Amino acid sequence: MRGPHGNRPVRRRWPSALVAAALAVPILSGCSSSNQDTTAPAAGAPGVAAVAPATAHPPAGTVLATAPIAAVLSEPASGRVVMLDADGRGVRVLDPATGAVRAVGLPATTSWALGAPGEILLAAGTQVLHLDPAAATVRTTPVDAPVRALTRRPDGTTALALDGGKVEIRTLDDQPQDLKVEIRDTKGNVVRDTVTGLGAIDAIAAAGDALAVLDRDQTTLTQLDLATHRPGLSLRAGQGTVGLISDHFGRLLATDTSGGALLVYTADPLVLRQRFPVGSSPYALAYDRSTETVWVTLTGSNEVVGYDLSKGIPEEVGRFATVRQPNSVTIDERTGEMFVGSATGDGLERIGADQRKRGQ
């Protein structure tokens, strides 16, 4: 297998796991018979990205000069790539087809997620912002409490993680309102369901009909029991987990940044299926559904690594040098291109789908 740096091959140190670096983290292969993550180490301090060293190799692909990027997200319907500014008060919208970049000012933003086709939802205090990347416009939906995180569910509703350990599943603005008896908040939004009794919520993910939330301070992943409106099963999530996404198979994928591992869960019931050592300070995640590959950035080594999950056991299929401090990554679903954002202002890296195939 060819590596990203010329003809240098990718080295595989553990044949059974295909890992980049040998870490003292156990590997769970196949299905677990227990709902408890009994092998997980005790949680430490909240996970944080490693301070990246100077780049040892030129970044793969091409690099667009930019200011520091807090997060990057590709919106599939518009084909735009959106970069969140470091202070959360603006975005830059890239049209990959032309290279044009447009800036859009925002209120202070703390979290975002894909919304309806052609839309990105952003949490900004007591309002949800609806960004149209193609038009570079923003409209707002006010809500009752500060929003900490949010995600859109397959049925078109939006799950909002609010201050006070509460998650509300809502119909926002022009989303379909088909309830015979509607419960509305004071802002007029239809509230479909509410779960209370949670701790701090830093990230939320929808995997099919299931919902799970991540508490980074406690390093716990908790399934929501929508039938009882209470927290469901809660598991320790590594030593310091930061990233959390879902895939189209209903799995939850997380980066244990402190433990140097990729964690793979089923969502309903919540069960840890894999803990897989991946390298130095894994941080951001992006899933390429066309190839069933999860891409993980390693801030400790300025790399992005792809793992094929189609066989049930992660297998490394690509490794590329990145811009310094690769704190964010996204995949363009239409073209398969990958974009990696530098949090230190070293640019937005663009790696083509063909180049990634050659790198494998």
Side-chain angles (χ1 to χ4, degrees), residues 25-338:
V25 181
I27 303 172
L28 303 182
S29 298
C31 297
S32 169
S33 61
S34 170
N35 285 346
Q36 297 299 322
D37 178 11
T38 57
T39 61
V48 296
V51 177
T55 54
H57 302 279
T62 60
V63 177
L64 173 69
T66 67
I69 299 169
V72 62
L73 185 61
S74 175
E75 198 292 302
S78 66
R80 302 306 198 271
V81 176
V82 183
M83 299 166 276
L84 182 65
D85 291 346
D87 62 2
R89 294 184 176 274
V91 296
R92 285 152 286 158
V93 181
L94 168 69
D95 182 347
T98 65
V101 177
R102 301 174 69 178
V104 181
L106 302 173
T109 299
T110 56
S111 179
W112 67 2
L114 290 175
E119 174 186 77
I120 292 175
L121 302 175
L122 301 100
T126 56
Q127 57 186 348
V128 175
L129 310 180
H130 304 250
L131 171 68
D132 180 339
T137 58
V138 179
R139 61 183 179 87
T140 64
T141 296
V143 294
D144 285 340
V147 182
R148 295 181 59 88
L150 72 174
T151 190
R152 183 177 170 88
R153 305 179 73 217
D155 64 1
T157 58
T158 302
L160 302 181
L162 306 175
D163 271 359
K166 180 166 69 171
V167 170
E168 291 187 351
I169 300 173
R170 297 170 176 244
T171 299
L172 298 178
D173 283 351
D174 55 357
Q175 291 176 337
Q177 300 179 7
D178 56 6
L179 292 182
K180 293 181 179 179
V181 179
E182 294 183 347
I183 301 173
R184 293 179 178 267
D185 65 13
T186 62
K187 308 301 183 182
N189 304 305
V190 176
V191 179
R192 300 287 186 102
D193 219 330
T194 302
V195 176
T196 58
L198 296 157
I201 303 171
D202 299 296
I204 184 168
D209 293 332
L211 282 169
V213 295
L214 174 66
D215 181 337
R216 292 186 181 126
D217 284 347
Q218 298 299 318
T219 315
T220 55
L221 189 63
T222 302
Q223 181 182 351
L224 306 189
D225 189 335
L226 300 181
T228 65
H229 311 287
R230 300 290 296 172
L233 183 65
S234 185
L235 299 179
R236 178 74 69 201
Q239 294 176 291
T241 293
V242 171
L244 176 67
I245 63 173
S246 61
D247 68 14
H248 63 297
F249 292 110
R251 296 174 296 201
L252 296 167
L253 313 175
T255 46
D256 180 5
T257 303
S258 300
L262 171 65
L263 309 178
V264 181
Y265 296 85
T266 51
D268 188 13
L270 184 65
V271 176
L272 177 66
R273 299 297 184 181
Q274 304 284 337
R275 183 188 295 111
F276 191 78
V278 296
S280 178
S281 191
Y283 195 73
L285 290 159
Y287 185 76
D288 184 350
R289 63 182 299 164
S290 67
T291 60
E292 298 182 18
T293 304
V294 60
W295 290 89
V296 183
T297 67
L298 305 179
T299 57
S301 58
N302 296 317
E303 292 179 298
V304 62
V305 187
Y307 295 94
D308 179 1
L309 301 181
S310 65
K311 298 174 183 155
I313 299 174
E315 177 180 355
E316 184 180 323
V317 294
R319 179 178 294 264
F320 298 93
T322 67
V323 287
R324 185 184 175 199
Q325 202 68 55
N327 283 16
S328 54
V329 61
T330 191
I331 301 290
D332 185 333
E333 290 185 5
R334 303 169 314 129
T335 65
E337 289 186 305
M338 180 164 58

